Amino acid sequence: MIKNLLRGFSALSLALVPLLSSPAALAAPTAEVTTLADAVGLVKVTEEDRTGYSRSSFKHWNSGDDTTDGCNTRAEVLIAEAVVAPTVETGCKLSGGTWRSYYDGQDVSSAGSLDIDHMVPLAEAWDSGASAWSAMRREAYANDQGADVSLVAVTARSNRQKSDQDPADWMPPSPEAQCRYVGEWVSTKLRWGLTADDRELEALKVYAEGPCEDTIVRYTPAA
């Protein structure tokens, strides 16, 4: 009787192996949805260290999500974020189109006037954990189109004012943009498992416990 049960269990286990190893069973990371305050509480705190940082450590822009369209990551983001779609000419040259730079509330009608900002700047990412990553993972981070908030088209002026600063030292000049910005900053940190230093975390808490307490954060951990 016991042998028969064991034999039956073994057969069932063997039958389950193909199911468990199928693409459907190997589920993609689950999207997380939480309040800004709770999301801030999930960010680990460590000291930051910029030793060894070089912007060239993050290869960008690469050939983008669609390697057959002739457009690099920058161009693909511009096409995706356009309010009025540009014309895509030979060599992925963009003409026409309109964009809304949410950092400063400006409407822009020239792709050349826009920067593609890394929500969490490359130097800040390095300080916060990316220094320990492989070159391949840093490239994936620098070209991340898997989350809408990782890369954002904004005016060159606002992007360069921001530079590599975190929310303790810089926030979008448009007050209407600030809660969105804090939510997207925290989302990116959680997506990539990046840390925060004490000043940064305190700044995030001020917004999370005050004017942005109703902000919802959505993120999916990067593979």
Side-chain angles (χ1 to χ4, degrees), residues 55-165:
R55 189 172 175 82
S56 63
S57 296
F58 295 81
K59 181 182 177 182
H60 68 292
W61 305 108
N62 64 18
S63 56
D65 280 356
D66 183 351
T67 58
T68 67
D69 65 1
C71 298
N72 63 13
T73 299
R74 170 186 160 81
E76 288 183 355
V77 172
L78 286 170
I79 293 167
E81 295 193 1
V83 177
V84 176
T87 299
V88 183
E89 301 174 354
T90 302
C92 200
K93 181 180 179 180
L94 307 183
S95 62
T98 303
W99 291 263
R100 179 76 172 177
S101 169
Y102 93 81
Y103 286 0
D104 49 12
Q106 298 296 306
D107 289 324
V108 180
S109 58
S110 170
S113 299
L114 294 161
D115 281 354
I116 303 302
D117 182 38
H118 293 92
M119 174 54 58
V120 174
L122 300 181
E124 169 70 20
W126 178 274
D127 298 349
S128 307
S131 59
W133 294 350
S134 67
M136 184 179 295
R137 188 165 180 81
R138 287 196 289 267
E139 179 179 351
Y141 177 84
N143 297 274
D144 182 20
Q145 295 185 67
D148 292 341
V149 304
S150 295
L151 300 170
V152 57
V154 295
T155 58
R157 179 180 179 182
S158 64
N159 182 44
R160 289 161 200 185
Q161 287 175 340
K162 171 184 173 179
S163 186
D164 59 5
Q165 300 174 94

